[in-house]
Amino acid sequence: MKSKRQEKILELIKSKVCLTQEDLQNGLLELGFDVTQSTVSRDIRELKLVKGRDSEGNYRYLANQSESKAGHSSSHYNDLFSKAVKSVNYSLNNVVIKCHNGMASVACVAVDELYRDMMLGSLAGDDTIIIVTTSEQQSKLLTESLTKLL
């Protein structure tokens, strides 16, 4: 049941603009799936859906193209990052990445995949990512590495 529901979620986000969890929940209810908001939230997390702009400029849930069974090369993540990011700076043990509107979650996936070992954690908003590292030196190194991708 779960895999069928998640398959339908992927079909829904491809066929129509889903801005909220409620949009996804209503779409699933229309298809006969009795789901709660928390189930939809869990499915979004497991499917690693991101919010971003589609090719027509609509802000919506998107399938995370960087997540595939076969995996992707680092060049794929570099490309995602470079298209989404405007600037990278650091202060103390924090790195702040400014992105185009709606693109921070996409860029954050790329950073997490490429530089997971250099950070304690990351948090993405709509157009900003903050990364916490273990030290100012680590932030400087990460900032230099990320800046090279732009």
Side-chain angles (χ1 to χ4, degrees), residues 35-50:
V35 294
T36 63
Q37 180 275 328
S38 61
T39 299
V40 172
S41 178
R42 239 184 335 274
D43 286 341
I44 289 169
R45 189 172 49 255
E46 288 175 12
L47 291 168
K48 298 186 179 179
L49 300 182
V50 295

Side-chain angles (χ1 to χ4, degrees), residues 13-32:
I13 64 171
K14 285 180 186 173
S15 64
K16 62 190 220 183
V17 175
C18 294
L19 300 173
T20 64
Q21 290 180 7
E22 186 178 4
D23 291 342
L24 287 173
Q25 182 181 11
N26 290 336
L28 289 169
L29 290 170
E30 289 172 12
L31 294 170

Side-chain angles (χ1 to χ4, degrees), residues 34-92:
D34 187 25
V35 294
T36 63
Q37 180 275 328
S38 61
T39 299
V40 172
S41 178
R42 239 184 335 274
D43 286 341
I44 289 169
R45 189 172 49 255
E46 288 175 12
L47 291 168
K48 298 186 179 179
L49 300 182
V50 295
K51 278 193 174 180
R53 299 208 183 275
D54 62 17
S55 60
E56 295 157 13
N58 298 311
Y59 188 68
R60 62 190 286 176
Y61 277 110
L62 300 169
N64 183 349
Q65 298 301 312
S66 64
E67 293 293 330
S68 78
K69 302 281 188 225
H72 285 281
S73 66
S74 62
S75 65
H76 174 74
Y77 296 114
N78 294 349
D79 188 48
L80 279 176
F81 184 83
S82 67
K83 288 180 179 174
V85 173
K86 296 195 286 188
S87 67
V88 182
N89 290 297
Y90 77 96
S91 177
L92 300 174

